[in-house]
């Protein structure tokens, strides 16, 4: 008989110490995961709201490529949140095209007509104002078709 081998009681006590070490490690993992989840929830709560309107700029950062709604899936990395007035100005005065997926021009109240999106030339300020207000766009465009002036995107 070998008296140097551990007794059955000593082996059980050793197994208990190993199990306690494993439980301690698992408790540390649980605490770390709870911390991460708390931080994630705090980050979600502290996140600023998404902007209602985005302007996507070109590579130069100057020219506007598209105007998007705030939750558009197609907005690029060079998109910047803007106010409603800035988005409206970009669509009407600057000639930036509206994103064809979420149609921010429709959401902003720019007329959408029967024949798809067209670019019309509008010269007189009264006509431009009437178009922005949505008053008889088709008739106003026909009456103003001989004038040359700045580009104004409308749907007709």
């Amino acid at each position: 008989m070998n008296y140097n081998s551990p007794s059955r009681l000593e082996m059980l006590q050793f197994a208990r110490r190993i199990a306690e070490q494993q439980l301690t490690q698992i408790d540390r993992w649980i605490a770390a995961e709870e911390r991460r989840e708390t931080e994630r929830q705090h980050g979600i709560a502290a996140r600023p709201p998404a902007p209602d309107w985005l302007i996507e700029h070109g590579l130069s950062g100057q020219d506007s490529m598209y105007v998007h709604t705030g939750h558009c899936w197609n907005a690029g990395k060079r998109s910047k949140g803007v106010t409603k007035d800035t988005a409206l100005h970009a669509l009407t005065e600057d000639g930036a095209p509206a994103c064809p997926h979420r149609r921010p021009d429709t959401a902003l109240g720019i007329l959408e007509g029967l024949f798809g999106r067209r670019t019309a030339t509008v010269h007189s300020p009264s006509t431009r104002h009437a178009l922005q207000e949505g008053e008889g766009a088709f008739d106003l465009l026909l009456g103003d078709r001989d004038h040359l002036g700045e580009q104004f995107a409308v749907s007709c």
Side-chain angles (χ1 to χ4, degrees), residues 17-36:
R17 284 193 307 271
I18 296 297
E20 285 176 350
Q21 289 174 355
Q22 290 176 341
L23 282 174
T24 302
Q25 180 64 43
I26 291 172
D27 287 341
R28 281 191 294 240
W29 290 341
I30 289 171
E33 190 61 33
E34 287 172 343
R35 253 191 329 273
R36 279 192 291 272

Side-chain angles (χ1 to χ4, degrees), residues 1-79:
M1 190 167 186
N2 188 355
Y3 291 103
N4 289 337
S5 65
S7 69
R8 184 173 166 88
L9 179 62
E10 289 174 329
M11 289 192 309
L12 288 171
Q13 289 172 340
F14 174 75
R16 180 178 172 78
R17 284 193 307 271
I18 296 297
E20 285 176 350
Q21 289 174 355
Q22 290 176 341
L23 282 174
T24 302
Q25 180 64 43
I26 291 172
D27 287 341
R28 281 191 294 240
W29 290 341
I30 289 171
E33 190 61 33
E34 287 172 343
R35 253 191 329 273
R36 279 192 291 272
E37 181 62 21
T38 301
E39 290 172 0
R40 188 182 74 79
Q41 292 295 330
H42 178 69
I44 290 171
R47 183 180 300 158
D52 292 332
W53 311 103
L54 299 168
I55 294 183
E56 182 178 352
H57 294 283
L59 290 175
S60 67
Q62 301 296 325
D63 46 335
S64 301
M65 289 180 58
Y66 283 109
V67 176
H68 299 275
T69 60
H71 298 286
C72 183
W73 60 269
N74 197 33
K77 291 182 180 180
R78 293 181 304 271
S79 297

